[in-house]
Amino acid sequence: MSLTKAERTIITSMWNKISTQADAIGTEALERLFASYPQTKTYFPHFDLNPGSAQLRAHGSKVVAAVGDAVKSIDNIAGALSKLSELHAYILRVDPVNFKLLSHCLLVTVALHFPAEFTADAHAAWDKFLSVVSNVLTEKYR
Amino acid sequence: MVHLTGEEKGIVTGLWGKVNVDEVGGEALGRLLVVYPWTQRFFDSFGDLSSAAAVMGNAKVKAHGKKVLDSFSEGLKNLDNLKGTFAKLSELHCDKLHVDPENFRLLGNVLVCVLARNFGKDFTPQVQAAYQKVVVGVATALAHKYH
């Protein structure tokens, strides 16, 4: 599964807008993940996960920065996220099912903040892009 | 069985009262067909589904979306008995329509995205969490009679 030229254009142009609120988007996506899918909290026993916590904001920021890296290297996402892929495979070992859950929460957050831009085509492009990112992050698992 | 607290039930019905069921149904079904094009396999008779614009403007998609969401609305009135409410529809989707239940999960999540888009900040993490429970409950109920 690879992104078409049209999909890449949609992603990169929307990213220009999204990146202006990147930290807030990342934090909100994580809040939604933990609210809707409480089992995902099991990966963060060492965090204060209350909404507004500094750790949550820092981590949300980190997650979205990585998405941004993928956008900036949209022609070579595997290369851009190679180190992160190893981190998830060997250290973090987050079960692959959770990438779908976080991707969904990122989509919801983007839809909410950018309703006009989140057309059906944009929805499709972002869902596919996040799916590619998720695949890259789990491709070294076994 | 979906387990919503009294508060969550209130949240769900409260938001649903503001939903334009006619439009949201068509929007959700349309987006399902655009975002997950393989779902078009059930709709050969719907005519032009060749582009997002074609899908979203397709009268049959809109009509069917409305039908689906009217049914979902019925479910919201019977959150304590989703399996009973959707028993007949479950049999239909298995025996006559041959729809893989995974499609119910996909549609549920697309619906959540549409609600988020329409309601903006009102679609808080708590509201989303309540709706995630509902869409899973409906999907499970629709799959319950499969054999």
Side-chain angles (χ1 to χ4, degrees):
Chain A
M1 179 174 46
S2 67
L3 298 159
T4 65
K5 203 151 174 247
E7 286 161 349
R8 290 172 209 218
T9 305
I10 289 175
I11 304 283
T12 49
S13 69
M14 270 183 80
W15 186 253
N16 289 332
K17 283 204 165 170
I18 293 173
S19 58
T20 61
Q21 297 178 41
D23 289 1
I25 301 257
T27 308
E28 187 179 326
L30 285 178
E31 274 178 28
R32 288 177 180 278
L33 181 72
F34 298 136
S36 284
Y37 310 106
Q39 69 274 19
T40 56
K41 293 190 287 186
T42 56
Y43 291 98
F44 300 94
H46 53 301
F47 266 30
D48 168 11
L49 293 177
N50 292 308
S53 92
Q55 283 177 313
L56 202 55
R57 270 182 289 124
H59 201 69
S61 196
K62 234 182 199 175
V63 167
V64 148
V67 173
D69 287 344
V71 174
K72 283 173 216 132
S73 299
I74 202 161
D75 295 328
N76 181 18
I77 296 174
L81 299 186
S82 174
K83 281 269 168 290
L84 212 53
S85 180
E86 284 170 10
L87 181 76
H88 283 78
Y90 306 131
I91 315 290
L92 301 177
R93 290 169 291 182
V94 171
D95 192 285
V97 72
N98 294 289
F99 292 95
K100 278 195 182 178
L101 304 181
L102 179 56
S103 295
H104 173 63
C105 290
L106 275 164
L107 274 187
V108 167
T109 308
V110 167
L112 203 142
H113 287 275
F114 304 96
E117 291 85 351
F118 197 70
T119 60
D121 273 329
H123 185 162
W126 274 96
D127 191 280
K128 199 171 163 186
F129 168 74
L130 291 173
S131 183
V132 170
V133 169
S134 300
N135 286 346
V136 165
L137 290 177
T138 55
E139 75 186 346
K140 298 177 186 181
Y141 270 39
R142 55 175 172 173
Chain B
M1 256 282 280
V2 65
H3 293 286
L4 284 109
T5 64
E7 192 187 349
E8 283 170 332
K9 285 181 191 172
I11 284 174
V12 167
T13 48
L15 190 91
W16 200 253
K18 302 179 207 164
V19 167
N20 182 332
V21 174
D22 289 0
E23 280 187 13
V24 166
E27 179 81 19
L29 184 65
R31 281 174 182 257
L32 179 76
L33 299 176
V34 170
V35 178
Y36 310 107
W38 54 93
T39 58
Q40 292 173 19
R41 69 191 298 284
F42 302 107
F43 302 105
D44 280 342
S45 63
F46 273 27
D48 187 6
L49 300 177
S50 59
S51 68
V55 170
M56 303 311 285
N58 184 306
K60 286 187 174 178
V61 170
K62 290 185 192 186
H64 195 68
K66 175 177 175 346
K67 202 179 187 183
V68 167
L69 215 68
D70 280 342
S71 190
F72 187 85
S73 283
E74 274 311 298
L76 291 190
K77 295 177 196 154
N78 293 286
L79 287 170
D80 293 329
N81 182 24
L82 288 175
K83 290 193 169 122
T85 306
F86 289 109
K88 282 266 168 292
L89 271 177
S90 180
E91 285 171 9
L92 180 79
H93 280 78
C94 174
D95 299 332
K96 295 279 183 308
L97 304 178
H98 311 294
V99 175
D100 179 347
E102 179 60 20
N103 291 286
F104 309 142
R105 295 176 238 296
L106 290 178
L107 181 59
N109 278 337
V110 169
L111 177 62
V112 167
C113 287
V114 171
L115 292 175
R117 184 170 181 253
N118 284 1
F119 288 99
K121 296 202 161 44
D122 286 349
F123 200 70
T124 63
Q126 289 66 39
V127 174
Q128 179 188 351
Y131 269 92
Q132 296 293 166
K133 283 190 185 181
V134 171
V135 299
V136 161
V138 171
T140 305
L142 276 171
H144 187 64
K145 293 285 192 183
Y146 273 56
H147 59 98

